[in-house]
Amino acid sequence: MSTALAPRDHFAIRDTATGRLFYYVPHELVRHTSYHSDFSLHAEGRPMERLSDSGNWWIATVAAATLSASWTPSPVTTSFRLRDPATESKAFPATLTPQEWDDLRTRYRDAAHDLYQAVTEEQPRQWEDLPGGPWRILEGKAPPVDGDNRWVADLPQALINHPEYRWWLPGKLTGLRSAVLETARKLPQVDSWRTTDPRTGDLVQAKVVVEVPFERPVTTVRTHDAQTGKKLRRPVTEEVKARFPMHLPIPDAVTGETYALALEAWQEAYDHWTDVIAQQAGASACNTCGGHGYVPRSPAEYATPLSPRRDH
């Protein structure tokens, strides 16, 4: 295999003995789909076979410029219904939309989980072409099925004995998403923040929920405890605030041809996303539309207005 490889090339090895092609598929190309139990890869529409249960090598019988992933998404929650119909009341109707259930959960906390069960709908199978093509075909031998941890590759001694050289090599700076969310958490208007799906470990989106007051202050009288739902001895007057969730595609890492270039890109991305959150946190809810709209100060595609929060 004498063909020179660029730092981030994706490649396949054609076994000269059998003609089979072994594609190395890095985890980052399939991280948001591979956790599904029926996940599979395809080359030119033909199913591929995994070389080992936990490895990144996939076997194909034909060369493909693009690989496709296929999986069945998790069921989607369409509504919520009472576990016991006898508990139906004005405060707890027989059925709720997902938005209504989320509002109820904000108001009554655990009661929403205890009283209601989700109604879900199965989803059709999905297909998606993987990024990274075209794949370079190299001639060689099949990789070992399970690898061999005893093997230590002979790397250039300069990289081993002089680690300071690594700053001038292509690489990536990690921790961008956590740094942005850590800053967001310190803003008083940020009610909550979290990554959207902890199952994958490394995500491409984050969710930040901002609570903001109305342009003209709005108050409400709360007569029940927000935690237990019990009636208070004395009514409490509180300011009504609107909640706006923001779904942000913040990457976890920024790449660069050198450390210095990656650091510039990292800082630029950090400044961008913290500014998006800060501007939204400085917005005000619209009185005319009852909190379903707001005075926007950040890109509209990241913010989704919800009903105003009233804990009573």
Side-chain angles (χ1 to χ4, degrees):
M1 297 186 296
S2 59
T3 305
L5 290 175
R8 285 186 289 276
D9 272 352
H10 297 298
F11 64 94
I13 297 176
R14 180 185 286 111
D15 187 349
T16 54
T18 65
R20 295 192 304 172
L21 292 110
F22 295 82
Y23 286 81
Y24 186 82
V25 182
H27 176 66
E28 59 265 22
L29 295 187
V30 294
R31 61 161 57 95
H32 69 294
T33 58
S34 60
Y35 63 85
H36 293 278
S37 59
D38 63 349
F39 167 79
S40 60
L41 286 182
H42 302 259
E44 299 297 331
R46 303 182 187 183
M48 301 175 71
E49 176 187 353
R50 204 167 194 167
L51 182 61
S52 63
D53 292 337
S54 58
N56 296 98
W57 289 100
W58 291 76
I59 307 170
T61 56
V62 295
T66 302
L67 303 183
S68 301
S70 178
W71 72 97
T72 302
S74 302
V76 171
T77 299
T78 57
S79 63
F80 289 84
R81 65 170 175 240
L82 285 171
R83 298 179 188 275
D84 182 359
T87 61
E88 181 180 356
S89 65
K90 183 177 181 181
F92 301 105
T95 61
L96 295 171
T97 67
Q99 181 58 67
E100 291 170 337
W101 184 84
D102 193 56
D103 292 342
L104 189 75
R105 183 181 56 175
T106 299
R107 190 177 305 136
Y108 294 113
R109 308 290 180 179
D110 293 341
H113 295 278
D114 297 338
L115 294 176
Y116 288 87
Q117 63 182 4
V119 178
T120 60
E121 183 178 276
E122 297 296 325
Q123 298 300 297
R125 192 165 183 82
Q126 300 293 308
W127 290 81
E128 179 179 285
D129 289 341
L130 300 188
W135 296 70
R136 301 183 62 178
I137 306 299
L138 309 175
E139 302 296 333
K141 294 183 178 180
V145 174
D146 295 314
D148 191 338
N149 293 331
R150 299 171 302 167
W151 171 250
V152 178
D154 239 348
L155 297 175
Q157 289 300 310
L159 299 183
I160 297 175
N161 298 328
H162 298 280
E164 64 271 19
Y165 289 165
R166 69 183 186 272
W167 305 108
W168 286 271
L169 297 174
K172 64 182 179 181
L173 275 174
T174 61
L176 175 63
R177 187 184 306 116
S178 60
V180 171
L181 293 179
E182 183 64 26
T183 298
R185 186 174 62 173
K186 297 175 182 178
L187 294 173
Q189 300 91 340
V190 175
D191 178 60
S192 66
W193 60 273
R194 63 180 177 89
T195 47
T196 54
D197 187 353
R199 293 175 298 176
T200 58
D202 187 23
L203 310 174
V204 296
Q205 278 206 341
K207 178 181 178 182
V208 176
V209 180
V210 176
E211 267 195 355
V212 297
F214 284 76
E215 282 190 285
R216 299 187 302 277
V218 176
T219 59
T220 185
V221 177
R222 182 161 60 86
T223 58
H224 291 76
D225 186 278
Q227 299 289 336
T228 64
K230 294 182 178 179
K231 189 172 183 179
L232 299 173
R233 291 184 178 181
R234 297 178 181 177
V236 177
T237 300
E238 295 180 339
E239 183 179 17
V240 175
K241 294 183 178 180
R243 292 165 59 85
F244 299 103
M246 306 174 68
H247 298 274
L248 308 176
I250 306 173
D252 184 61
V254 174
T255 60
E257 292 304 312
T258 67
Y259 168 75
L261 293 175
L263 188 60
E264 290 180 9
W266 196 97
Q267 188 62 49
E268 182 179 345
Y270 172 84
D271 291 342
H272 168 73
W273 291 116
T274 53
D275 184 60
V276 165
I277 297 171
Q279 289 190 49
Q280 182 62 32
S284 299
C286 174
N287 292 80
T288 304
C289 49
H292 291 275
Y294 57 96
V295 180
R297 294 188 182 179
S298 65
E301 66 268 24
Y302 301 132
T304 306
L306 292 181
S307 301
R309 175 176 178 175
R310 295 185 175 90
D311 295 328
H312 66 284

